[in-house]
Amino acid sequence: MAYTLPALISAWWPTFRERAEQAGGLPGFVVDEIEGYLRCGIVEHGVAHLACRRCGHSMVVAFSCKGRGFCPSCTGRRMADLAAHLVDEVLPKVAIRQWVCSLPWLLRVPMAYDRALCGDVLAAFVGALQRLLRQRAKRALGLRSVEAAEIGAVTFVQRCDSALRLDVHFHTLALDGVYVRDESGALQFHRLPDPTPEEVVQVATWVHERLARVLERHGRSLDGHDDAPSVLADEEPALASLYDASAADRQLLGDAPGQATRKLVRATAEVLPQSEALADVGGVNVHAGAAIDGRDRKRLERLCRYIARPPLAQERLEEHGDGRLRYRFKRPWRNGTYAVVLEPLDLVARLVALVPPPRFHMLRYHGVLAAHAKARAEVVPGRAASASSEPVQLKLGFEAAHASEVESEPASTSERASRHPWAWLLARVFAVDVTVCPRCAGRMRLLKLATTREDISKALAHAGLGPRPPPRPRLTMLGQLELRFAAA
């Protein structure tokens, strides 16, 4: 039987937080994320009140938490938003290949909170990938220098694996070729052949070599002898314990602290397709997926959504028995492992570890796709005109700050929001247009953002979801005579 994630966190979060307070407490960004999730989608905490312009049909939509960690709704919204943005405005219509880079276990905890270290490690991987593409382009195209070849890539930084363990790794969508300027000065894209297994091994080797130098600058090493001070353990001891237990796949708060997490295994094995290449050098694992045709925008959007998917699928969380929970994997591992069994408190601990710290960017751009690249305007499709002309209405998940009467107005290009409106995303992904009245097909308009208890009660009552509040007493004008009739 499927287990409801909000009910689980609501039931165990007070106990978990109490245990964490005994160990030094949790940082504010974690507490805000969890408590925001507990309010996400609940109408009692705030709603947008909408009405049809034609027939007056009323409806309310609850606020969302806009969390970046694990909220299935909000991370799903980010997934759809990022995929639409990349396909419509960033990725050109050329061949694109997915590269995946996983790193040694000793780096997964430091990279989870150290933004500078994570950025430098990513630069080492992208630099190795750029080196490979440029060298291959020089040989194939007869270039005088590798500097004449320009690459482009977008990287998603993921924080966990399929077992919800802390595992910072990179999914990079790289243009499967290079841009070179022709004699007229125009950029031309040149597709390169598929990388050989030996070339993938070479990329992993280069990453491993550069990784040693990166770690030396940060006072760390691949053998675990670190000179860098344990900043996280000193400032946030409770969070450091959560990170360590999650990355090491150990129980922390269950019935057997320190023991390995229990897993369910079947007698099956998965064979990697021959068309894909995989290499492992000193714990640096590099996988080159199959290239796709960038002109197939629907397929490209599905790939972007897959890479930016939420870390947790709620429908795969089930009751296992004895109060424990079972989380099934989408695909079994090669050794046949298909699920992990967790105590409720340990599951909450793993979800806490998935919350990225503030200013920890989860999407990075490289080469000609970077924001300040000189050639970017010549490569990217550019801002979609249809998206910039969307009316600013029904931004479900908006900030609950301005609870005044609001009418939708056209958005100017200079004030365009950085995110697509919820209504636009719903229409794109699910073919459901919530800006259209379900009764008469008229246009819906935003009446009010209800954030106070009184406004929320009125909005719910108007939509038929709650009792109508009692009418306010009629005010008597000064000097007005009140007539009182005697009983007959």
Side-chain angles (χ1 to χ4, degrees):
M1 185 178 74
Y3 204 90
T4 304
L5 186 62
L8 166 72
I9 298 181
S10 179
W12 290 97
W13 170 243
T15 303
F16 180 88
R17 188 173 181 183
E18 181 180 354
R19 298 278 294 273
E21 291 293 337
Q22 297 173 1
L26 294 170
F29 73 89
V30 170
V31 175
D32 293 342
E33 180 93 9
I34 301 296
E35 295 188 348
Y37 170 73
L38 294 177
R39 297 189 299 269
C40 185
I42 300 179
V43 294
E44 288 80 4
H45 293 287
V47 296
H49 187 194
L50 307 119
C52 176
R53 295 178 180 273
R54 182 184 300 173
C55 69
H57 173 64
S58 179
M59 62 181 292
V60 294
V61 180
F63 293 146
S64 62
C65 65
K66 296 182 287 295
R68 297 200 304 154
F70 60 88
C71 175
S73 173
C74 295
T75 52
R77 184 258 187 178
R78 293 179 185 275
M79 170 194 70
D81 192 11
L82 286 175
H85 169 67
L86 292 176
V87 171
D88 292 344
E89 304 178 13
V90 177
L91 296 175
K93 296 181 179 181
V94 299
I96 296 174
R97 187 182 304 274
Q98 179 188 183
W99 293 76
V100 182
C101 180
S102 299
L103 301 155
W105 286 97
L106 290 174
L107 295 181
R108 297 182 179 182
V109 171
M111 287 177 57
Y113 68 87
D114 191 334
R115 298 189 297 272
L117 176 62
C118 184
D120 289 346
V121 173
L122 175 58
F125 168 61
V126 175
L129 185 58
Q130 176 180 255
R131 181 179 177 183
L132 174 69
L133 294 174
R134 281 182 162 182
Q135 288 184 359
R136 296 175 67 207
K138 181 180 178 181
R139 293 193 301 266
L141 305 176
L143 303 178
R144 298 182 60 183
S145 170
V146 294
E147 299 296 331
E150 297 285 348
I151 74 157
V154 178
T155 296
F156 297 81
V157 180
Q158 294 193 359
R159 292 180 64 86
C160 72
D161 59 12
S162 56
L164 302 179
R165 298 176 298 188
L166 186 64
D167 178 10
V168 179
H169 60 285
F170 310 128
H171 285 253
T172 299
L173 292 180
L175 308 184
D176 201 34
V178 296
Y179 279 96
V180 180
R181 292 196 180 275
D182 57 18
E183 296 179 355
S184 65
L187 276 180
Q188 296 293 333
F189 182 78
H190 298 271
R191 171 81 183 272
L192 296 176
D194 295 340
T196 64
E198 293 76 18
E199 289 173 333
V200 177
V201 172
Q202 186 65 72
V203 172
T205 303
W206 287 336
V207 175
H208 186 267
E209 292 173 352
R210 295 189 63 177
L211 195 57
R213 298 193 293 270
V214 168
L215 294 179
E216 184 178 358
R217 294 200 305 268
H218 287 266
R220 302 181 182 275
S221 65
L222 288 172
D223 57 10
H225 300 290
D226 296 347
D227 297 328
S230 181
V231 177
L232 183 65
D234 294 338
E235 297 181 355
E236 301 291 348
L239 188 63
S241 298
L242 297 177
Y243 281 4
D244 290 336
S246 180
D249 199 18
R250 292 184 288 103
Q251 297 186 51
L252 182 64
L253 302 172
D255 56 355
Q259 297 296 320
T261 303
R262 182 185 176 189
K263 297 181 179 62
L264 304 180
V265 182
R266 293 195 186 104
T268 59
E270 182 182 357
V271 180
L272 192 69
Q274 295 296 324
S275 60
E276 300 182 349
L278 179 67
D280 190 298
V281 178
V284 176
N285 186 289
V286 176
H287 172 228
I292 66 171
D293 189 343
R295 294 171 297 182
D296 188 348
R297 308 307 277 182
K298 290 185 178 180
R299 184 182 177 190
L300 180 60
E301 185 169 0
R302 288 196 299 268
L303 177 61
C304 293
R305 294 181 64 196
Y306 169 76
I307 296 175
R309 67 192 182 279
L312 181 140
Q314 197 166 218
E315 63 274 9
R316 299 206 301 269
L317 183 63
E318 305 168 335
E319 293 185 70
H320 183 70
D322 299 332
R324 293 178 298 176
L325 302 170
R326 177 174 65 248
Y327 185 69
R328 293 182 290 105
F329 306 158
K330 185 176 182 179
R331 295 184 183 87
W333 292 352
R334 295 178 187 171
N335 62 357
T337 303
Y338 69 94
V340 60
V341 179
L342 296 167
E343 299 283 344
L345 285 176
D346 280 320
L347 177 60
V348 176
R350 294 205 174 187
L351 296 180
V352 167
L354 301 186
V355 179
R359 298 176 297 281
F360 197 109
H361 300 294
M362 309 302 290
L363 183 67
R364 316 286 178 97
Y365 299 88
H366 318 282
V368 294
L369 301 184
H372 299 291
K374 294 181 179 179
R376 189 178 192 273
E378 303 177 61
V379 174
V380 301
R383 181 168 295 178
S386 60
S388 62
S389 61
E390 286 283 339
V392 181
Q393 62 180 12
L394 291 187
K395 287 189 179 180
L396 314 186
F398 25 96
E399 297 288 349
H402 305 288
S404 59
E405 295 287 332
V406 179
E407 289 285 347
S408 60
E409 298 177 356
S412 64
T413 55
S414 61
E415 299 180 353
R416 184 194 170 203
S418 60
R419 298 290 184 187
H420 292 98
W422 263 118
W424 187 89
L425 290 171
L426 288 174
R428 182 185 184 102
V429 178
F430 302 107
V432 176
D433 191 355
V434 294
T435 65
V436 177
C437 176
R439 289 186 178 178
C440 68
R443 301 300 297 178
M444 302 293 290
R445 65 190 178 101
L446 178 62
L447 295 180
K448 197 169 192 178
L449 304 182
T451 56
T452 65
R453 179 176 299 181
E454 181 180 2
D455 288 341
I456 295 171
S457 298
K458 289 181 178 179
L460 294 179
H462 198 274
L465 299 177
R468 293 188 176 275
R472 292 182 178 180
R474 183 179 178 183
L475 298 178
T476 303
M477 300 295 294
L478 294 177
Q480 180 177 349
L481 179 63
E482 291 189 5
L483 302 179
R484 296 185 179 182
F485 297 91

